[in-house]
Amino acid sequence: MNMLTPMPDRAAADEISVDLAIEGMTCASCSGRVERALRKLDGVGLAEVNLASETARVLARGVDAAAMIAAVERAGYGAHVIDPAGDADEAARRERAARRDYEVLAISAALTAPLVIGMIADLAGARFMLPGWLALALATPVQVWIGARFYRAGYKALRAGSANMDVLVALGTSAAYGMSLYLLLRSWMVGGRPVLYFDSSTVVITLILFGKLLEQRGKRQTGAALQALTALRPARATLRAADGTERQVAVGAIRLGDLVVVKPGERIAVDGTIRAGESAIDLSMLTGESVPVSKGVGDPVTGGAINGDGVLLVETTAVGGETTLARIIRLVETAQSGKAPIQALVDRVAAVFVPAVLVVALITLIGWLLAGGTVEHAVLTAVAVLVIACPCSLGLATPTAVMAGTGVAATHGILIKDAETLERARSIDTVAFDKTGTLTQGQPTVVALHAVEGGDPVAVLRLAAAVQRGSEHPLARAVLARAAADGVQPPGAAAVKALPGRGIEAVVNGRRLMLGSGRLLGESGADAGTLRDVAATLEHEGRTVSWLIDRGAVDQADTPAVLGLLAFGDAVKSGSRRAVAALRARGIRVVLLTGDSQGSAAVAAKALGIDEVRAELLPGEKADMVRRLRNEGRIVAMVGDGVNDAPALAAADLGIAMATGSDVAMHTAGITLMRGDPTLVAAALDIANKTFGKIRQGLFWAFAFNTIGIPLAGLGLLNPMIAGAAMAASSVIVVTNALLLRRWRAGR
């Protein structure tokens, strides 16, 4: 079973895709500036920068990674190419950086604490303040050494012709520190007891560092699902040589066709086929399936799955980037690094936000001076405006929610192609299902076999098996299985040709034979005779009927004649009725689109609670039906698993493919369900809706803090310390709110 294939690349064949780690971004305006710098390069077709994951994905033609890195550096940031093989090194680097940040925060807090104690005591009426020289000694390392990161980043931003959060923080804290230094020096020269504001600058810096640490921790947690998937890759495996000896080797050294020994409790290192042994395989991290699946000789296994209590010998069929696990990781990475359409609005706001805040702060300063306020009060009020207006939370609202939502979906076996798909999925109001393999097991069996009067049913089975030899269609497998069970040996066939939506034809023993649907029977002009009533009865029972038609000798133009019919039964999946009920409970219209006969489709629809059925459809007609639904103003998701479903999947607003089906279906789908459980359709729409809800909530908090906070600060109702705390709190709230998606469970 091929569980997953790569999604079609948006880039042309000669385009390259480069993933960059971006260093130094602090807010939405930063990510926007990096994006613009990359897009200015000739040959860059797509550049998407994700603030939450601190990465950029670039599609380009004729541009190498060095040029991209140089463009990012000119914009004032650092960059390096992400090496998939270096995940451990990158994680270690981030861990060291986080440890340094904690140490710096501890030092900043220790230096700030005495200043805060003095301020609190003064507010309490104790009239206690630290000596000016001591306050200066405590504040200067915080402002100059610990705050140097804001000066460096702000300078780079201004040099690149724009402004970001660091500019706001550097200006605000420098104003408070500089004013305090001026008042202190003046008191030393002319005497007096000055009111100093060193505590404002140091507390703001400390609070921002604290908020950034909480924010970084939250961002790491939003990517926890991807990290968990990456951790499924075993580093080493046991290789069995041709002489029967076994040795431990790095997974990267394994080649196609190699035999790998998997011991009980080990993770399977490669995709492959079992050649010896049997065991129960735990696929929960790959498909969300909680119950281990029994596997034996000839069954496929997937790298990253956990072997149960048996020893397996696995022949390798895929390694490296071609394994199912690697493809899943690529899909999740793509979804998490992409931008939802709503982010475009945020980017436009962020592009003008910081310059606008600088103007507002200047107006505040001048306004208070003109109103007769003291210089100290005017400066502190302007500082409060600068500090509270940080656009960090604005830039984090969308990517953190997307990362959390796509990550938790992946752990439940739902792979979402990109952020645009996620946003589109929340609006679906109509779901169209294919029947065979989607709502039914897709493992039909031959339940009835009839020949025309005077004919031989065994001969009908033999000829039908000959026509179907080599086909992978579920009905073909059912025919061949019945022939093998009955001991029927089919003859050879030539000139085999698929008839999409109708059936198949071939030359057998010099005769042109066709096997297919009632539509094929009608188009052939053959007379079914008394078998027509038999077929009607079988279809009324919910059976799928295929007709065997003889078109005569190859070199003759004989009148087509019916030789017999075969009837197939296919059990409905256990979760299909629940899936339909869950969708209808959400107010979603459910439609069944199938190539099966009207009778068979009607029986299945009645059993599942589906009111609207379109049967006997060719692949193109399925797509036309989807377009018709869209023309009615419906937003349509198509769910299918077969080659015949690909046109309809492409025609829908959202294609949802079962990974148990064909490669072509998954190529055209926006969402892939890693196991053939139709209840995941409602779950996929639910997580999309929940994720978009978190995006809206995050943007609300981001805009609310600024919409309310900036006027309050401008009116002098917030001091810089409270403004700094509010700014840090806004980012933490946005990230923490997105993390609540990790508690999502399908069907709850």
Side-chain angles (χ1 to χ4, degrees):
M1 177 182 69
N2 186 5
M3 294 179 65
L4 185 70
T5 55
M7 293 296 179
D9 208 338
R10 287 179 289 184
D14 58 344
E15 273 187 329
I16 61 169
S17 175
V18 178
D19 290 330
L20 300 174
I22 308 297
E23 301 164 2
M25 293 192 301
T26 55
C27 64
S29 60
C30 294
S31 58
R33 186 162 60 257
V34 174
E35 216 166 73
R36 290 192 295 274
L38 289 168
R39 287 175 178 170
K40 286 179 181 178
L41 294 174
D42 291 337
V44 170
L46 173 72
E48 292 183 334
V49 178
N50 188 310
L51 177 62
S53 61
E54 298 176 340
T55 59
R57 172 155 293 175
V58 186
L59 289 178
R61 184 184 292 108
V63 185
D64 60 16
M68 298 175 190
I69 292 172
V72 173
E73 290 175 345
R74 285 194 299 273
Y77 302 90
H80 63 269
V81 177
I82 296 174
D83 179 9
D87 286 338
D89 294 338
E90 181 68 17
R93 185 189 67 79
R94 289 178 180 251
E95 186 62 32
R96 288 194 299 271
R99 194 158 48 245
R100 284 196 302 270
D101 288 342
Y102 276 111
E103 292 169 357
V104 170
L105 174 63
I107 295 171
S108 184
L111 293 171
T112 301
L115 295 169
V116 174
I117 291 172
M119 178 198 69
I120 294 173
D122 186 59
L123 291 175
R127 312 306 300 171
F128 168 79
M129 289 189 70
L130 294 176
W133 64 268
L134 180 57
L136 175 64
L138 291 170
T140 299
V142 177
Q143 186 69 43
V144 177
W145 171 54
I146 295 175
R149 63 183 64 194
F150 302 113
Y151 291 111
R152 286 193 298 268
Y155 169 72
K156 290 178 180 178
L158 292 174
R159 190 181 63 183
S162 61
N164 62 0
M165 178 209 83
D166 300 293
V167 172
L168 299 180
V169 174
L171 284 176
T173 58
S174 295
Y177 177 86
M179 184 176 65
S180 299
L181 180 60
Y182 165 75
L183 293 173
L184 179 62
L185 293 175
R186 190 180 68 175
S187 71
W188 288 347
M189 290 186 293
V190 301
R193 182 180 175 85
V195 177
L196 304 178
Y197 303 98
F198 288 122
D199 49 4
S200 295
S201 64
T202 56
V203 168
V204 166
I205 289 174
T206 302
L207 284 173
I208 291 174
L209 292 178
F210 180 61
K212 280 292 175 186
L213 278 176
L214 292 178
E215 178 188 306
Q216 289 294 333
R217 181 180 179 185
K219 288 194 292 186
R220 286 195 297 272
Q221 290 176 339
T222 62
L226 182 57
Q227 295 164 13
L229 285 171
T230 304
L232 296 181
R233 294 168 165 164
R236 302 184 67 79
T238 303
L239 185 67
R240 177 174 292 181
D243 60 3
T245 59
E246 298 178 2
R247 71 180 193 279
Q248 284 280 312
V249 299
V251 170
I254 298 174
R255 298 292 177 262
L256 296 179
D258 284 350
L259 294 177
V260 176
V261 178
V262 187
K263 297 175 183 178
E266 287 186 341
R267 289 199 182 275
I268 301 171
V270 296
D271 286 3
T273 303
I274 298 175
R275 295 305 177 207
E278 58 181 35
S279 184
I281 307 298
D282 181 359
L283 290 162
S284 57
M285 278 302 297
L286 295 169
T287 67
E289 178 61 62
S290 58
V291 180
V293 180
S294 296
K295 299 277 187 176
V297 175
D299 289 333
V301 291
T302 306
I306 300 176
N307 183 26
D309 55 2
V311 177
L312 301 176
L313 184 64
V314 177
E315 180 182 349
T316 303
T317 59
V319 294
E322 296 305 311
T323 62
T324 296
L325 178 58
R327 292 170 177 175
I328 290 174
I329 291 172
R330 281 203 299 272
L331 279 174
V332 176
E333 286 176 336
T334 299
Q336 295 191 344
S337 64
K339 284 194 173 186
I342 194 175
Q343 185 67 23
L345 170 63
V346 177
D347 291 343
R348 288 195 296 271
V349 172
V352 299
F353 187 84
V354 174
V357 169
L358 292 173
V359 172
V360 171
L362 181 60
I363 292 172
T364 299
L365 175 66
I366 296 172
W368 277 102
L369 291 175
L370 293 176
T374 64
V375 173
E376 291 91 336
H377 182 74
V379 170
L380 285 179
T381 304
V383 168
V385 171
L386 291 172
V387 172
I388 200 170
C390 171
C392 298
S393 55
L394 197 62
L396 289 169
T398 299
T400 51
V402 169
M403 289 176 68
T406 55
V408 73
T411 63
H412 286 77
I414 302 167
L415 298 185
I416 299 171
K417 183 178 179 181
D418 51 34
E420 185 176 351
T421 296
L422 193 68
E423 187 166 336
R424 199 161 54 237
R426 74 180 183 92
S427 303
I428 296 298
D429 58 21
T430 301
V431 173
F433 280 99
D434 169 55
K435 183 171 81 72
T436 304
T438 302
L439 293 174
T440 65
Q441 296 287 352
Q443 297 175 344
T445 57
V446 177
V447 296
L449 182 64
H450 295 273
V452 294
E453 190 173 348
D456 181 5
V458 176
V460 171
L461 179 60
R462 182 182 298 109
L463 294 174
V467 173
Q468 295 281 31
R469 255 179 135 175
S471 172
E472 289 298 318
H473 194 281
L475 296 185
R477 291 196 292 268
V479 172
L480 295 173
R482 175 63 181 267
D486 290 0
V488 173
Q489 183 63 39
V496 179
K497 179 183 177 183
L499 305 172
R502 298 170 177 82
I504 191 169
E505 67 177 2
V507 175
V508 180
N509 296 333
R511 310 288 294 181
R512 294 176 297 166
L513 301 181
M514 296 192 302
L515 183 66
S517 65
R519 178 189 287 266
L520 182 65
L521 173 67
E523 292 177 354
S524 72
D527 183 11
T530 57
L531 286 183
R532 190 173 296 278
D533 292 336
V534 174
T537 300
L538 291 168
E539 289 177 350
H540 183 72
E541 295 171 355
R543 309 303 185 186
T544 298
V545 174
S546 286
W547 298 88
L548 181 64
I549 303 166
D550 182 1
R551 296 181 57 201
V554 173
D555 55 354
Q556 295 179 6
D558 295 342
T559 301
V562 172
L563 300 180
L565 64 80
L566 297 88
F568 301 87
D570 188 10
V572 170
K573 290 180 179 178
S574 59
S576 293
R577 187 171 182 84
R578 282 186 288 113
V580 173
L583 290 170
R584 295 183 67 171
R586 295 174 62 89
I588 292 175
R589 176 182 177 186
V590 181
V591 182
L592 182 63
L593 305 180
T594 178
D596 280 355
S597 66
Q598 184 65 45
S600 173
V603 171
K606 183 177 180 180
L608 296 172
I610 299 175
D611 297 324
E612 191 169 348
V613 182
R614 296 291 185 273
E616 299 180 10
L617 298 175
L618 298 177
E621 292 173 334
K622 280 187 183 180
D624 290 340
M625 185 57 63
V626 169
R627 294 188 191 97
R628 187 180 306 171
L629 290 169
R630 294 182 65 188
N631 289 337
E632 294 174 1
R634 313 295 296 186
I635 302 175
V636 183
M638 175 68 198
V639 188
D641 74 326
V643 174
N644 289 350
D645 300 320
L649 290 169
D653 293 287
L654 173 66
I656 302 177
M658 302 283 190
T660 50
S662 74
D663 295 351
V664 177
M666 287 180 283
H667 279 163
T668 52
I671 294 178
T672 299
L673 307 180
M674 290 302 296
R675 60 184 192 274
D677 182 357
T679 60
L680 289 181
V681 175
L685 300 184
D686 184 60
I687 187 59
N689 192 58
K690 293 284 199 313
T691 301
F692 203 80
K694 291 299 180 187
I695 292 174
R696 285 198 301 262
Q697 292 167 17
L699 291 176
F700 167 79
W701 282 111
F703 280 112
F705 267 92
N706 287 303
T707 302
I708 298 172
I710 292 176
L712 289 178
L715 292 171
L717 300 177
L718 293 179
N719 66 44
M721 289 177 285
I722 295 176
M727 184 275 286
S730 67
S731 294
V732 174
I733 287 173
V734 166
V735 174
T736 304
N737 188 51
L739 283 173
L740 294 177
L741 284 169
R742 297 173 64 195
R743 300 163 58 183
W744 178 83
R745 295 292 182 271
R748 192 179 68 182

